[in-house]
Amino acid sequence: MPASQRSLTTALIATSVRRAVARIEFSSQRRWRILDSRLIGQAMRCFNVPFISSAAVVVAVKCATAQTAVPLVDIKSVDPTMVIELRYAGANNLAGRALYPPGTPALVRPEVASRLVTAQAILRRYQYQLKIWDAYRPKSVQMQLWQAAHNNDYVADPQAGAGSLHSWGVAVDATLIDTWNRPVLMPTDFDDFTPAAMWHYRGADPAIRSHLHLLQIAMRDAGFYGLRAEWWHFVIVNWQKYLPPEELKRALQAFGMR
């Protein structure tokens, strides 16, 4: 996508986001309080709390680790063509049970959403598109995953560093499907923590290698990088700027980066 077109797309997204901002505050009773009722769209339930859904509505979620507001947007409100299948809303995952309530939207930071739009546009040139398996993940859900896995090669310890980058809205789990929403051959299924799920495919199937390479190239060109042990996991390249200083320091120490 030309730079001018990417800039226009980003500008349009930013404009729609600014027009529909809703602020939400986390209270001591672990409930959400809507601060600006004028911007209420269609209410729905998300993580057992009211979620406000309208065109590109941004919600400010307070992270339990640092009580820092994390602005999040529903991916579908930014790009309605994006296919969402949150695996933690069903039983087909590491925990073997639903960790999200029905109807949970896929939330990310607005900057992540705009980059996903870019990746989607790249893939559509080749008759493919994204399917999102996970996006923002509350720390409470991360704790349940850690208890199920207890292996920080695959699941981040929510008590170590800044926890999972999913909990800061800067990471997504994504796969590739065709333009008719049909799955295509990929190295493994979601939450397959085996050597077959590594970023560098070592199998012999040329179709799988081609699909994975296309996904990786599209996400790279949109501004994401991958994770060594999980081909489906992507983080925005400048994720550090979105964490509070103290949480960033803990994260870098946990990652061995400082």
Side-chain angles (χ1 to χ4, degrees):
M1 180 184 295
S4 59
Q5 189 174 350
R6 286 199 302 269
S7 298
L8 177 59
T9 300
T10 302
L12 290 173
I13 293 169
T15 299
S16 64
V17 166
R18 286 195 298 269
R19 287 175 179 171
V21 174
R23 298 180 181 228
I24 291 181
E25 181 180 87
F26 190 71
S27 71
S28 58
Q29 289 79 30
R30 303 186 71 80
R31 300 185 55 154
W32 298 86
R33 182 162 58 87
I34 301 166
L35 300 184
D36 192 344
S37 60
R38 294 171 300 173
L39 300 172
I40 294 178
Q42 177 184 0
M44 64 189 294
R45 301 297 293 180
C46 172
F47 310 128
N48 296 319
V49 300
F51 174 74
I52 310 308
S53 176
S54 61
V57 169
V58 174
V59 297
V61 177
K62 284 201 173 180
C63 178
T65 57
Q67 288 298 291
T68 301
V70 179
L72 300 171
V73 64
D74 184 346
I75 294 172
K76 292 285 281 187
S77 73
V78 176
D79 185 351
T81 72
M82 203 80 67
V83 175
I84 308 297
E85 184 190 321
L86 295 182
R87 284 299 190 89
Y88 296 126
N92 189 11
N93 58 59
L94 170 66
R97 57 189 174 84
L99 303 177
Y100 298 157
T104 295
L107 305 176
V108 291
R109 292 189 65 100
E111 299 86 352
V112 175
S114 66
R115 298 185 194 193
L116 289 174
V117 170
T118 300
Q120 184 83 325
I122 294 171
L123 290 170
R124 284 191 174 277
R125 299 176 198 164
Y126 304 97
Q127 305 300 308
Y128 292 96
Q129 59 180 327
L130 291 171
K131 176 187 279 188
I132 304 300
W133 277 338
D134 200 25
Y136 168 75
R137 184 187 305 156
K139 186 182 178 183
S140 59
V141 173
Q142 186 65 27
M143 179 63 74
Q144 294 179 66
L145 290 175
W146 173 249
Q147 291 170 347
H150 277 294
N151 186 339
N152 58 11
D153 285 339
Y154 301 108
V155 179
D157 182 352
Q159 303 297 334
S164 171
L165 293 180
H166 279 283
S167 299
W168 295 95
V170 297
V172 294
D173 295 330
T175 188
L176 198 66
I177 57 176
D178 67 20
T179 52
W180 294 274
N181 295 352
R182 298 176 304 195
V184 300
L185 292 173
M186 298 299 282
T188 67
D189 197 2
F190 180 67
D191 272 3
D192 183 323
F193 300 134
T194 69
M198 300 291 284
W199 176 261
H200 296 290
Y201 176 64
R202 300 186 183 279
D205 191 317
I208 293 177
R209 177 174 288 104
S210 176
H211 293 153
L212 180 59
H213 183 66
L214 177 60
L215 175 64
Q216 292 171 340
I217 292 298
M219 295 298 278
R220 181 201 67 189
D221 289 354
F224 293 89
Y225 70 82
L227 184 67
R228 176 184 61 85
E230 300 174 12
W231 62 261
W232 58 82
H233 181 85
F234 298 92
V235 180
I236 55 172
V237 294
N238 56 345
W239 61 269
Q240 296 93 331
K241 68 185 287 186
Y242 300 112
L243 269 64
E246 284 305 311
E247 295 300 324
L248 175 59
K249 181 179 179 181
R250 294 177 60 197
L252 293 176
Q253 290 173 343
F255 297 152
M257 299 173 66
R258 181 177 294 178

